[in-house]
Amino acid sequence: MTQSITLCPICKRPINKDESTVTCSVCGTKMHRGCVEEELLTDSAGDWLCPYDAILAALDWVDAVLNQYAHTLTPEQRDDIVERLKNYLKLLGEVPP
């Protein structure tokens, strides 16, 4: 019988059954407890999130704020936000136009 190896999505190392882990409350991904930064990878209820689900939650929040309040931004504020969004694309390996 072959056992599947679970890799921590943060460090990419195998998770052994005797290691301290946390589990994403959205997708069930396990991560080494020592790899996660609690302040960044927990939601407002204190539940753990994997990096992917934490990013999606943050983007959902940004989407809601932009949809509600984009009309209140000055041109300079809009330019600043656009530059930051371009930097996020660069982090993801995408080249913005």
Side-chain angles (χ1 to χ4, degrees), residues 3-17 19-24 27-33 35-36 50-51:
Q3 289 184 331
S4 66
I5 297 173
T6 301
L7 298 178
C8 174
I10 299 169
C11 71
K12 308 297 187 214
R13 290 182 299 127
I15 296 176
N16 300 316
K17 61 183 175 183
E19 292 182 284
S20 178
T21 62
V22 295
T23 303
C24 177
C27 69
T29 295
K30 291 194 178 304
M31 302 161 280
H32 293 117
R33 175 64 182 94
C35 289
V36 299
C50 67

Side-chain angles (χ1 to χ4, degrees), residues 14-68:
I15 296 176
N16 300 316
K17 61 183 175 183
D18 59 333
E19 292 182 284
S20 178
T21 62
V22 295
T23 303
C24 177
S25 63
V26 176
C27 69
T29 295
K30 291 194 178 304
M31 302 161 280
H32 293 117
R33 175 64 182 94
C35 289
V36 299
E37 192 163 330
E38 187 170 352
E39 193 171 304
L40 293 176
L41 296 181
T42 53
D43 62 15
S44 60
D47 295 325
W48 291 104
L49 299 171
C50 67
Y52 175 75
D53 285 317
I55 291 167
L56 287 183
L59 288 173
D60 287 345
W61 179 82
V62 168
D63 185 56
V65 173
L66 278 174
N67 277 304
Q68 186 70 32

Side-chain angles (χ1 to χ4, degrees), residues 51-52 55-56 59 84-96:
Y52 175 75
I55 291 167
L56 287 183
L59 288 173
R84 290 188 71 180
L85 291 171
K86 287 179 182 178
N87 286 331
Y88 295 141
L89 289 174
K90 288 177 189 173
L91 281 172
L92 294 170
E94 299 292 325
V95 180

